[in-house]
Amino acid sequence: MLRFMPVGDSQTIGSAGEHTWRYRMWQHLRETYGGPFALVGPRETLYDKATDSPTSYEYADPDPAFPRAHLAGWGEGWLHMAPLIGEAVRTCRADVLLVSLGLIDLGFYTNAEQTAENVRAFVTEARSANPRLRIVVLPVIPNVRAEAETAFATEVTRFNELLAKALADLDEPRSPLLLTSPPPSYDIHLDTYDGTHPNASGEHKIAEAFAEAMYQAWDLGEPYAER
């Protein structure tokens, strides 16, 4: 049983009425991975905008077979997840982390250099729970704020450079770290509903970025196809 844990911010937890890229990834793995697998994590809910809390179970597809588990939070970043990841990996027995973090950090909490240090802390804590853990990381996708603010766009670019360096520095054979390519043809005007959060096409493109990275690097699954 290969156990995948999605880790992320608002783009990963999703909000009420959405499928989420987690669901798209589950569909992909169900069709292409040749063995048993699960999505795991200590949380299950979506974010409820009406109550401003992560309490919704109103997924767009209520398929009871979909494993809703994750470690994602609206407004949470590397800063917040680094202290949580060791216990989450340990209790959920995760084998592979699918991580999409950073935009919140850069937008509200830390600069590029500080955020990169939190990436390193996250990896250290995760490996303390599973020394053979595999981690796949999505670079930060620039959003509408980056389009409007040159300084913020520069910070996003700088962090993505530092992220690549951190993962290269920390990579090791028994616990490989994999940086995905940016989602193919991702356009914040077409693939989000507000310039930041993915709509259906954006969900597919984020799932595709993770899926293609794992297929090309580890021969896991098959090339991504929308379902």
Side-chain angles (χ1 to χ4, degrees), residues 120-132:
R120 293 173 182 269
F122 176 99
V123 172
T124 298
E125 289 300 316
R127 282 174 168 168
S128 73
N130 180 359
R132 297 189 178 278

Side-chain angles (χ1 to χ4, degrees), residues 56 69 92 96 117 161 174 178 194:
S56 175
C92 299
V96 182
E117 286 304 308
E161 293 169 352
R174 71 171 184 170
L178 181 59
D194 61 358

Side-chain angles (χ1 to χ4, degrees), residues 2 11-12 53 74 82 84 99 101 116 119 141 150 155 180 182 211:
L2 194 61
Q11 294 176 334
T12 298
S53 61
W74 200 275
L84 304 179
V99 185
L101 291 167
V119 172
I141 305 169
T150 301
E155 200 72 6
T180 80

Side-chain angles (χ1 to χ4, degrees), residues 30 40 61 83 87 91 107 137 166 172 187 191 207:
R30 187 174 59 173
V40 301
D61 186 342
E87 181 65 17
T91 58
V137 183
E172 57 183 57
D187 184 330
D191 298 315

